[in-house]
C-alpha cells in the first residue's frame, strides 16, 4: 500500500503539488475559524439556575427557593451532580450533566422542570448564559470623566451611567456574533422611591397597600380600539405610564366625599434613593459600572473579543461627552501572546531543522524540503482540529514538538540523498532526471518501515491519555489529539510530498566527500561502539542503574498539574469578615485599589465586589475579585527591588497588608483565578 503511494507521488508530482496547495488553502481557512483560547476549558456540561430573591435571609432562601429547585432537578436524565448555594438576595443551583450530554438538550430538560415548579409570588428562576467558566472574555467600564464629589449628585450620576449601560451599551453589544450575555455590576438602577409620612397617612385613614395599589393601577397604558372618522381610522389609547417625579406625585390615592382627592404628594415624598444591592464595581479607587461580555460556548475567543472591542469603539462615538468608556481586560491580548509562543516554536523548529540537516546531510535543498513539512503539517492539523472540534490553546498547540513531527520526513529525505550520492558515485556521472525519480522511489520504499514505525511508537505513547476523564481528560485530551493529528499529517506527507519534492528538486550530482560533522561523528562513534561491545555487561549494568536512579529521583521531584501560564497581568482576591456591610466592603476595596495604583508598573486596577446582575459567580459582599493590569515591561521604571512580575506581586501584597489591614489577600492571575473558582 505504502509502496504504491510512494510510486504514485513520484510519478504524479503535479497532482501531489496541487493537492498540497488545496490543503494549504483549507488549512488557512480552518485556522481562521478555529476556536482559539489561551488554555483548555475544563468546564463540564452544566446549567446554572440563578434566582434573585429580595429581602429574604439565606436560611429562608434555602428553604423556600433553593431546595425546591434542587429537589425538582433530581429526575432529569443524565444528571451527575447537583450543587447549590444560597446567599442574601441570591439563590444558585448548578446542575452538572454527563460529559456526553449536549448543552442544548440539558438546558431544554432544565427549562421543562422549571416551568412546572411552584415558587413564592414574584420569584422567577432564570438559567445562566450559554457559556463556560472561562467565558468571561472582555471587561469594560462606564464612568464619568469628572466624578461628582457631593454624595447625592454622585448617586444620580451613577444611576445615569447604569441606565446608559443597561439601555444603550448592553443591547448593542448583544448584537455581536458570539456574545451570549453582557453582565453588569456596579452603580444603581434608576429607581423612584416613595417615602410616606406616617402621620399624614393616619389622618386620612390610608395604609401602605393603598399607595401601592394606586401606583400599580395608574402606571400602565391601555388600548381603546379605534374610531372611524371622515374615511380615516384613528387608534385610541390611554397613556398612563409614569415618567417623572411630578407624574408620581399627582397619582390619586383616595377620593374624599366632598369631591376632594388625596394625592401621593399630600402624604409622601418622591425622590431618587439607593437600592438594596448585592454587588458593586470599582475602577482605580472609584465606584463605577463594569460590563462583562460572555462568549457563546464553542466560539473563537480571539475573534469574539476583537469584535466586541470594535463594537465598543463605535459605541464611544455616540456617548455623551461626560461619559468615558474604557476597555479593562481583553482576552485576545493573552491569546495573541499564546499564538506568538506557537509561532516562535514554529520558526525556531524550522530553523533548527534546516541548520542540523545542512550540517548532517550537507544538502541545502534537502534541508529546505524537510522544513517545508513543518508548516504544511501544521495547516493539515488545523483542518483535522476543526473537523474534530478541538480548540487551539497553549496545551494543544504549544505542546507540538516539530522535531518529532518531521522525524519521518528527515529519515526519508536523508536516505534519498544518500542513495542519490551512492548511485552517482557508482555510475561516475550526474544522474538523469529519470534516474533521480527511480532512486528516490527506491530509497523512500526502502526506508518506509523505519520512518513509519518511528512515528507509530510516538503515537502509541500518547494513546493512554485518551483514557483520562474529568478535568484531566479535558486538559490533556486535546493535547494528545492534536499531537497525533500532527504526527499522522507529517507521516502522510513523508510518503507523498517529500518523495515528490525530492524527485523534483534534488540534484543528481555526486559528492566526493561526506559532510564534516558526519565524519566527526563517525570517527567518535566507531571506537565507542567497539569498546561497548567488548564490555557488554558493564554497559548493560550502567544502563539499568541509570534507569533505577532516574525513577528514584523522579519520585522525589516536585510536580504540578500543569505549568503556570504567565498571563502578563495578575489578580488579587480580597476576603473580608463575613458580616461586613456593603458600604464598608466597597470603601476597603477602593482604598486597596488606591494603594495598588501607587505602583508605577500598574496601568489600571478594577474589581467586582459581591455578585453581579447575572450571578454566575455568587460571591458574598465580603469578597472582591481585583484585576491588576500592568504597563508594558519596557515602560517599567528602573527599580532594584522590582525587576519581575513576581517581585511586583510580592511588593503589592506586602504594602496592602501594611496599609489596609482586616482582609485576607490571595494573589493569582485573571484566568487562573477563574480556574480556581470552577
Amino acid at each position: 500500500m505504502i509502496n504504491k503511494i510512494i510510486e504514485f507521488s513520484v510519478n504524479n508530482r503535479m497532482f501531489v503539488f496541487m493537492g498540497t496547495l488545496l490543503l494549504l488553502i483549507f488549512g488557512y481557512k480552518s485556522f481562521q475559524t478555529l476556536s482559539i483560547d489561551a488554555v483548555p476549558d475544563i468546564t463540564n456540561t452544566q446549567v446554572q439556575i440563578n434566582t434573585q430573591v429580595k429581602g429574604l435571609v439565606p436560611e429562608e432562601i434555602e428553604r423556600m427557593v433553593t431546595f425546591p429547585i434542587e429537589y425538582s432537578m433530581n429526575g432529569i436524565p443524565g444528571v451527575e451532580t447537583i450543587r447549590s448555594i444560597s446567599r442574601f438576595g441570591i439563590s444558585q443551583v448548578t446542575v452538572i450533566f454527563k460529559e456526553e450530554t449536549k448543552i442544548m438538550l440539558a438546558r431544554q430538560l432544565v427549562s421543562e422542570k422549571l416551568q412546572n415548579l411552584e415558587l413564592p409570588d414574584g420569584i422567577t428562576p432564570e438559567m445562566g448564559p450559554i457559556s463556560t467558566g472561562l467565558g468571561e472574555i472582555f471587561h469594560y467600564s462606564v464612568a464619568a470623566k469628572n466624578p461628582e464629589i457631593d454624595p447625592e449628585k454622585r448617586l444620580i450620576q451613577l444611576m445615569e451611567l447604569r441606565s446608559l449601560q443597561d439601555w444603550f451599551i448592553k443591547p448593542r453589544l448583544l448584537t455581536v456574533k458570539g456574545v451570549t450575555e453582557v453582565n453588569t455590576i456596579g452603580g444603581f438602577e434608576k429607581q423612584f422611591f416613595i417615602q410616606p409620612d406616617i402621620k399624614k397617612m393616619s389622618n386620612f385613614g390610608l395604609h401602605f397597600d393603598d399607595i401601592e395599589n394606586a401606583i400599580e393601577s395608574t402606571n400602565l397604558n391601555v388600548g381603546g380600539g379605534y374610531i372611524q372618522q371622515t374615511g380615516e381610522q384613528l387608534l385610541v389609547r390611554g397613556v398612563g405610564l409614569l415618567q417623572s417625579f411630578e407624574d408620581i406625585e399627582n397619582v390619586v390615592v383616595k377620593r374624599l366625599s366632598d369631591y376632594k382627592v388625596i394625592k401621593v404628594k399630600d402624604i409622601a415624598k418622591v425622590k431618587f434613593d439607593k437600592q438594596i444591592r448585592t454587588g458593586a464595581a470599582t475602577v482605580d479607587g472609584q465606584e463605577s459600572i463594569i460590563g462583562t461580555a460572555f462568549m457563546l460556548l464553542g466560539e473563537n475567543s480571539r475573534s469574539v473579543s476583537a469584535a466586541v472591542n470594535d463594537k465598543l469603539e463605535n459605541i464611544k462615538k455616540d456617548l455623551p461627552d461626560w461619559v468615558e468608556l474604557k476597555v479593562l481586560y481583553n482576552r485576545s491580548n493573552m491569546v495573541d501572546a499564546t499564538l506568538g509562543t506557537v509561532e516562535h516554536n514554529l520558526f525556531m523548529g524550522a530553523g533548527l531543522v534546516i541548520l542540523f540537516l545542512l550540517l548532517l546531510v550537507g544538502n541545502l535543498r534537502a534541508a529546505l524540503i524537510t522544513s517545508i513539512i513543518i508548516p504544511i503539517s501544521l495547516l493539515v492539523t488545523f483542518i483535522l482540529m476543526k473537523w474534530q472540534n478541538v480548540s487551539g490553546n497553549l496545551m494543544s498547540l504549544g505542546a507540538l514538538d516539530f522535531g518529532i513531527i518531521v522525524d519521518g520526513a528527515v529519515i526519508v529525505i536523508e536516505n534519498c540523498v544518500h542513495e542519490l550520492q551512492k548511485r552517482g558515485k557508482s555510475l561516475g556521472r550526474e544522474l538523469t532526471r529519470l534516474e533521480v525519480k527511480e532512486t528516490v522511489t527506491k530509497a523512500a520504499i526502502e526506508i518506509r518501515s523505519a520512518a513509519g514505525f518511528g512515528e507509530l511508537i510516538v503515537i502509541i505513547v500518547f494513546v493512554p491519555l485518551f483514557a483520562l476523564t474529568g478535568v484531566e481528560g479535558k486538559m490533556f485530551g486535546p493535547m494528545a489529539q492534536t499531537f497525533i493529528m500532527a504526527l499522522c499529517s507529517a507521516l502522510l506527507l513523508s510518503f507523498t510530498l517529500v518523495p515528490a519534492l525530492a524527485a523534483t528538486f534534488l540534484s543528481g550530482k555526486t559528492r566526493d566527500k561526506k559532510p564534516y560533522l558526519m565524519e566527526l561523528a563517525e570517527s567518535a562513534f566507531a571506537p565507542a561502539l567497539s569498546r561497548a561491545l567488548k564490555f557488554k555487561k558493564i554497559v548493560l549494568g550502567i544502563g539499568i542503574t541509570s534507569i533505577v536512579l532516574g525513577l528514584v529521583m523522579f519520585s522525589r521531584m516536585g510536580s504540578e498539574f500543569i505549568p503556570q501560564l504567565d498571563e502578563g497581568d495578575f489578580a488579587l482576591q480580597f476576603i473580608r469578615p463575613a458580616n461586613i456591610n456593603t458600604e464598608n466592603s466597597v470603601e476597603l476595596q477602593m482604598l486597596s485599589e488606591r494603594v495598588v495604583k501607587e505602583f508605577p508598573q500598574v496601568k489600571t486596577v478594577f474589581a467586582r465586589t459581591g455578585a453581579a446582575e447575572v450571578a454566575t459567580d455568587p460571591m458574598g459582599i465580603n469578597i472582591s475579585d481585583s484585576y491588576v493590569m500592568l504597563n508594558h515591561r519596557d515602560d517599567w521604571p528602573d527599580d532594584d527591588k522590582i525587576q519581575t512580575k513576581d517581585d511586583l506581586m510580592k511588593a503589592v501584597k506586602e504594602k496592602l497588608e501594611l496599609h489596609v489591614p482586616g482582609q485576607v489577600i490571595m494573589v493569582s492571575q485573571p484566568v487562573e483565578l477563574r480556574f480556581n473558582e470552577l
Side-chain angles (χ1 to χ4, degrees), residues 179-197:
V179 174
T180 184
E181 179 62 73
V182 177
N183 204 357
T184 305
I185 186 172
F188 301 92
E189 291 185 16
K190 183 178 287 188
Q191 293 184 345
F192 297 99
F193 277 72
I194 301 174
Q195 187 174 2
D197 188 320

Side-chain angles (χ1 to χ4, degrees), residues 377-394:
S377 62
L378 192 59
L379 289 172
V380 176
T381 303
F382 290 146
I383 297 175
L384 298 176
M385 292 174 67
K386 183 67 177 177
W387 174 48
Q388 290 294 316
N389 198 25
V390 178
S391 66
N393 49 66
L394 187 65

Side-chain angles (χ1 to χ4, degrees), residues 664-677:
V664 178
I665 304 171
M666 299 176 62
V667 183
S668 184
Q669 298 184 100
V671 174
E672 184 180 346
L673 180 64
R674 298 300 303 152
F675 264 116
N676 296 335
E677 292 175 351

Side-chain angles (χ1 to χ4, degrees), residues 189-194 242-245 248 270-273:
E189 291 185 16
K190 183 178 287 188
Q191 293 184 345
F192 297 99
F193 277 72
I194 301 174
L242 304 175
Q243 299 181 358
S244 64
F245 287 142
I248 299 175
V270 182
K271 62 177 182 176
F272 287 126
D273 207 341

Side-chain angles (χ1 to χ4, degrees), residues 438-603:
E438 293 174 351
T439 306
V440 167
T441 303
K442 178 184 175 184
I445 292 175
E446 179 184 344
I447 206 68
R448 71 188 187 285
S449 298
F453 279 111
E455 303 281 18
L456 185 61
I457 290 171
V458 178
I459 291 175
I460 292 174
V461 171
F462 279 87
V463 169
L465 292 178
F466 290 104
L468 297 176
T469 58
V471 174
E472 295 84 356
K474 287 180 174 289
M475 184 66 68
F476 297 104
M479 180 188 72
Q481 280 184 273
T482 305
F483 208 103
I484 290 176
M485 289 174 185
L487 283 175
C488 293
S489 303
L491 187 61
L492 177 63
L493 294 172
S494 300
F495 295 137
T496 54
L497 183 61
V498 171
L501 291 173
T504 304
F505 296 105
L506 288 185
S507 172
K509 295 180 180 179
T510 61
R511 291 179 58 91
D512 297 329
K513 189 177 181 181
K514 290 183 179 180
Y516 173 75
L517 192 61
M518 288 299 297
E519 290 184 346
L520 187 64
E522 286 184 6
S523 62
F525 179 69
L529 179 61
S530 61
R531 289 189 185 133
L533 293 175
K534 289 180 180 179
F535 304 98
K536 290 180 283 188
K537 293 183 179 180
I538 296 177
V539 174
L540 185 61
I542 293 174
I544 295 174
T545 304
S546 300
I547 294 174
V548 173
L549 288 175
L551 291 173
V552 172
M553 295 179 66
F554 177 76
S555 63
R556 296 182 179 181
M557 287 175 61
S559 61
E560 56 184 352
F561 183 57
I562 57 172
Q564 189 179 49
L565 170 66
D566 185 2
E567 301 179 25
D569 308 302
F570 67 93
L572 299 169
Q573 188 174 65
F574 298 91
I575 303 176
R576 305 181 180 98
N579 59 347
I580 192 171
N581 62 35
T582 303
E583 303 305 322
N584 285 339
S585 184
V586 172
E587 285 294 330
L588 281 176
Q589 180 58 37
M590 291 193 294
L591 180 59
S592 300
E593 290 179 8
R594 295 187 188 111
V595 172
V596 175
K597 199 68 171 61
E598 293 176 0
F599 288 85
Q601 296 86 354
V602 175
K603 180 180 180 181

Side-chain angles (χ1 to χ4, degrees), residues 10-31:
V10 173
N11 295 324
N12 299 274
R13 287 166 292 171
M14 188 55 65
F15 178 83
V16 174
F17 295 155
M18 292 300 295
T20 304
L21 181 61
L22 290 175
L23 287 177
L24 293 176
I25 295 173
F26 282 113
Y28 180 75
K29 288 187 176 293
S30 298
F31 173 72

Side-chain angles (χ1 to χ4, degrees), residues 387-414:
W387 174 48
Q388 290 294 316
N389 198 25
V390 178
S391 66
N393 49 66
L394 187 65
M395 291 294 291
S396 59
L397 296 179
L400 293 179
D401 188 333
F402 296 111
I404 297 177
I405 289 173
V406 299
D407 186 53
V410 170
I411 294 173
V412 171
I413 200 68
E414 192 278 333

